[in-house]
Amino acid sequence: MIGMIFILTYCVIGLVRIILQLPKDDRRKFFLSLINPVTMMKNIRDIICDCLLHVKIWKRNKLLGYMHSSIAFGWFMLIVIGHIEVFLYVPHRAKFLYYPIFFRYFVAETDTTLKGSLLFFLMDFFLLVVLSGIFLAMIKRIRSRFFGMRRTTNPSFLDLVGLYSLWAIFPLRLLAEGFTADISGGSFLTKSLNHVFTAFLGNHVNMLPTWWAYSLALGVFFCVLPFTRYMHIPTEILLIPLRNAGIRITNARKGLAKAQVYSCPNCGLCIDACPMGVMKTNIKDTTVYLNRQIRRRNENRIEEISDKCLLCGKCTAICPVGVEGDKLRIAQRSIRKYGISPDCSSIDTSGLIEECNFSGPSDGKVLYFAGCMTALTPKISRAMCSVLSSAGIQYEMMDRDGGICCGRPVMMAGRVEQAEEMIRKNTEIIKASGASVLLLSCPICYKIFKEKYRLEGIRVVHHTEYLKELIDSKSIRISRNDLKYVYHDPCELGRGCGIYEEPRKVISEAGELVEAGKHHKESICCGGSLGSLSLGFDKRQPMTENALNNLTAASPDVIVTACPLCLSTFSRYADRPVEDIAEIIDKNMARQA
């Protein structure tokens, strides 16, 4: 009861604090979502799938999924069936919170044997399910590779206390119920154990020590839970409705950010996923350790980890509870108020509308924004312009002479106000062009224009999407060759924007498409990301080589990407051609004589 009262009080206070920390509009949005039938059903479904059944982990690794769901769902069912027993047999005791948990003990005290073979069977069955999960957890602690994990986190002292008390709860419950099964009732598991105890120990064994041990294990687990990784169990139940309400991170240490940090289960899946994990010295710069340092308020390590991150988003994509590691880092950076990135500090957008020399509004006009990185890899924009001209598309280049930035570097540095000013000026330029389509070659620019700009009436498309549209509409015709192509999913285009199939369909028109070892949302970052503020060039080479090894698993002739930064990075170390998707189409386009 001490442990139960403590954890319930702690959770209620924490819940109230997190909700109060939300901005007023987000608070209103959250409460309205709770009475929305559609959102309510989604909350219930997600809580069952994510918190009890761990469906996401099942999809990643079945053994790991079973381990988590057997403990979570099995424990939940023990509580539910325990309450059903109390309501059926001793409804006047239902008001006591502890009674369903220690039902077998109190029934045993009455010297009355209850009848309910189905409930007895279910209680034994789910106790066995939980015990099997505990057994697998012990194996995972010794040999995580059996569960598809090369590395796991190092637990703190309190994590170990929580872990061992959790492991002790259910074996002690089995022993306790085994001692009393002949009085309180039982089934195949507890009855069998009772026969063994009776045969070897007789009928006069004191059963109290096992019940006390079970009670103490529960109490210890509840009391240390808020200070361990296991706080994710109650916090995730809050995180799900916050996420489904459409709440976004607005403060680095409060509200949704705090809920995400405390929802982190410290499972360590992000360690293997992180491209920096190739370097063993960078393992403790992963999201799981960032969350741990935020909870400990270790400011120096928080700053170091946040600055080093590539912001590739892979940890976010694979996290089973939806912790947004990349957004947490950007939020942490904003606390320190960095100045504008040198790449953008000299940009003067005041006269760009006139400099672009737009010819005025016209139906179907395309405004092509190549982006800063494409300016450093001009063959991409040349290929794209060639395709557009061959297709008869009327277009203008917004940044033909360079000098325009989408604002992403400023955002990554946490300078929100400066980024908003840049967005405002760029929006004026785009709207003044009279274009109906804004075409991007850089996934970073594409994501920013798509999410941060308000361009009503203007369609924002990446050149992979536009190339597919040109092929589908037969505006261009592609001649197929005998080459094998492998496509690299850029972080911002794939995980960031969900564009996976369009580029693959485009490449398949030109030749045979083979897949990398890891692809789609599991794609490995090229290592050249501008997201890191402190990661040295020497640290990036192993990441790039690791990504190239993944891409060449099926022995392709050409590596294809759709990001100028990935193209530039891979070209330094690749042992075969690296080309942008626009180059592939331009080379294989059937031109009329």
Side-chain angles (χ1 to χ4, degrees):
M1 284 303 297
I2 292 172
M4 190 180 295
I5 292 170
F6 172 74
I7 189 59
L8 288 176
T9 303
Y10 191 98
C11 287
V12 169
I13 294 173
L15 170 67
V16 172
R17 288 185 64 184
I18 287 175
I19 292 175
L20 290 177
Q21 288 170 356
L22 294 173
K24 186 177 180 180
D25 289 344
D26 283 351
R27 248 195 333 266
R28 181 174 177 273
K29 188 188 295 186
F30 173 68
F31 286 122
L32 286 176
S33 73
L34 296 180
I35 58 175
N36 183 314
V38 176
T39 311
M40 285 173 59
M41 291 304 298
K42 181 169 175 53
N43 289 340
I44 294 171
R45 182 177 68 250
D46 287 352
I47 288 172
I48 293 172
C49 291
D50 296 349
C51 300
L52 294 179
L53 301 179
H54 295 277
V55 172
K56 293 177 183 176
I57 302 181
W58 268 94
K59 291 179 180 178
R60 187 170 185 83
N61 184 285
K62 290 181 172 56
L63 192 60
L64 192 64
Y66 176 78
M67 187 199 81
H68 282 86
S69 60
S70 61
I71 297 173
F73 184 69
W75 196 355
F76 172 76
M77 290 305 299
L78 287 173
I79 295 171
V80 170
I81 297 170
H83 279 77
I84 292 174
E85 286 184 320
V86 171
F87 279 113
L88 285 178
Y89 295 125
V90 281
H92 60 286
R93 298 285 189 180
K95 59 185 177 181
F96 299 112
L97 290 176
Y98 57 83
Y99 211 88
I101 300 172
F102 298 96
F103 181 64
R104 294 285 190 274
Y105 171 76
F106 290 107
V107 169
E109 278 195 331
T110 65
D111 293 327
T112 303
T113 302
L114 294 173
K115 294 181 180 180
S117 57
L118 176 60
L119 293 176
F120 291 159
F121 172 79
L122 290 175
M123 288 293 278
D124 275 21
F125 172 76
F126 284 110
L127 179 56
L128 182 60
V129 168
V130 176
L131 288 169
S132 67
I134 297 293
F135 176 72
L136 289 175
M138 293 177 179
I139 295 176
K140 175 179 170 289
R141 187 87 187 104
I142 302 169
R143 193 70 177 172
S144 61
R145 287 182 179 271
F146 289 156
F147 299 81
M149 299 176 67
R150 289 183 293 124
R151 289 158 295 198
T152 57
T153 54
N154 295 322
S156 65
F157 171 74
L158 286 178
D159 283 340
L160 290 174
V161 174
L163 176 69
Y164 295 139
S165 60
L166 175 63
W167 285 359
I169 289 170
F170 300 99
L172 289 172
R173 176 170 179 154
L174 174 62
L175 288 174
E177 292 186 352
F179 274 118
T180 57
D182 57 333
I183 304 173
S184 59
S187 189
F188 67 96
L189 190 62
T190 50
K191 277 275 190 177
S192 300
L193 191 60
N194 182 265
H195 292 321
V196 172
F197 288 158
T198 303
F200 286 93
L201 302 175
N203 295 319
H204 304 291
V205 178
N206 187 351
M207 64 181 180
L208 278 176
T210 54
W211 282 101
W212 269 112
Y214 169 51
S215 177
L216 287 170
L218 276 170
V220 169
F221 180 72
F222 287 148
C223 287
V224 301
L225 188 145
F227 316 108
T228 69
R229 63 175 65 179
Y230 301 104
M231 189 59 192
H232 81 89
I233 298 170
T235 311
E236 190 182 356
I237 297 173
L238 168 64
L239 179 62
I240 287 171
L242 283 172
R243 184 171 60 235
N244 289 341
I247 309 299
R248 297 291 180 263
I249 293 176
T250 55
N251 187 297
R253 304 288 174 86
K254 297 180 180 179
L256 181 63
K258 190 172 186 177
Q260 288 196 10
V261 168
Y262 278 86
S263 293
C264 176
N266 278 242
C267 62
L269 287 175
C270 58
I271 297 177
D272 286 343
C274 182
M276 293 192 297
V278 176
M279 303 286 289
K280 292 184 178 180
T281 55
N282 292 329
I283 289 175
K284 292 197 174 182
D285 295 319
T286 50
T287 298
V288 61
Y289 285 103
L290 171 67
N291 293 332
R292 184 177 293 186
Q293 298 305 326
I294 293 174
R295 291 182 67 168
R296 295 174 180 174
R297 299 182 182 180
N298 187 345
E299 298 299 333
N300 290 334
R301 281 293 290 141
I302 293 170
E303 180 177 335
E304 182 183 357
I305 295 173
S306 298
D307 286 355
K308 193 178 291 185
C309 179
L310 294 165
L311 300 181
C312 73
K314 191 170 181 181
C315 58
T316 300
I318 62 95
C319 179
V321 301
V323 175
E324 299 172 300
D326 51 345
K327 293 182 175 61
L328 282 173
R329 284 172 169 84
I330 294 174
Q332 294 299 327
R333 293 176 184 181
S334 68
I335 294 177
R336 301 194 301 278
K337 300 292 183 185
Y338 273 101
I340 297 179
S341 169
D343 293 334
C344 301
S345 59
S346 60
I347 291 177
D348 178 12
T349 60
S350 58
L352 285 177
I353 296 178
E354 291 76 20
E355 289 176 12
C356 287
N357 192 27
F358 293 126
S359 57
S362 62
D363 294 337
K365 179 178 174 181
V366 172
L367 182 63
Y368 177 37
F369 183 90
C372 305
M373 288 307 303
T374 306
L376 300 178
T377 49
K379 62 178 185 174
I380 297 177
S381 55
R382 284 199 299 267
M384 199 62 216
C385 288
S386 174
V387 173
L388 291 172
S389 297
S390 297
I393 303 297
Q394 181 189 5
Y395 74 96
E396 294 276 1
M397 276 198 74
M398 181 175 170
D399 55 345
R400 184 183 300 276
D401 300 320
I404 303 178
C405 177
C406 67
R408 168 70 184 278
V410 189
M411 296 178 195
M412 289 190 302
R415 300 296 289 175
V416 178
E417 293 179 2
Q418 285 80 356
E420 288 177 349
E421 177 63 17
M422 191 171 289
I423 288 171
R424 184 187 67 78
K425 290 184 178 180
N426 285 344
T427 301
E428 292 176 0
I429 296 170
I430 296 166
K431 289 186 174 180
S433 73
S436 60
V437 175
L438 178 63
L439 176 63
L440 294 311
S441 281
C442 174
I444 295 173
C445 298
Y446 172 74
K447 190 171 189 291
I448 293 299
F449 278 111
K450 193 91 169 175
E451 296 180 354
K452 303 298 182 182
Y453 284 68
R454 295 180 180 178
L455 300 172
E456 295 83 1
I458 300 175
R459 191 163 66 98
V460 180
V461 295
H462 187 260
H463 74 284
T464 53
E465 299 174 290
Y466 202 71
L467 288 170
K468 182 179 180 299
E469 292 174 10
L470 292 177
I471 293 172
D472 290 346
S473 64
K474 302 190 184 312
S475 297
I476 57 175
R477 292 182 298 112
I478 309 301
S479 298
R480 192 175 178 83
N481 58 51
D482 297 327
L483 295 176
K484 288 170 62 178
Y485 297 104
V486 64
Y487 176 66
H488 170 256
D489 291 284
C491 302
E492 298 288 354
L493 191 64
R495 286 186 289 269
C497 300
I499 295 179
Y500 294 110
E501 300 311 317
E502 290 88 342
R504 285 173 167 79
K505 290 178 180 177
V506 170
I507 296 169
S508 295
E509 293 290 326
E512 180 187 354
L513 176 68
V514 296
E515 288 290 5
K518 292 186 178 180
H519 48 84
H520 286 73
K521 74 173 185 178
E522 297 277 351
S523 175
I524 300 176
C525 177
C526 71
S529 171
L530 299 177
S532 177
L533 301 179
S534 62
L535 196 64
F537 188 79
D538 59 322
K539 303 286 187 180
R540 294 171 182 261
Q541 182 175 344
M543 301 178 199
T544 305
E545 292 173 343
N546 180 50
L548 285 169
N549 289 336
N550 173 67
L551 286 168
T552 55
S555 301
D557 298 308
V558 181
I559 297 170
V560 186
T561 187
C563 170
L565 184 58
C566 296
L567 177 67
S568 176
T569 305
F570 285 140
S571 296
R572 295 191 193 106
Y573 308 107
D575 60 356
R576 65 203 72 197
V578 182
E579 297 183 346
D580 185 82
I581 191 171
E583 294 181 87
I584 300 298
I585 296 307
D586 186 40
K587 287 181 179 179
N588 292 275
M589 194 162 49
R591 292 175 171 84
Q592 295 181 351

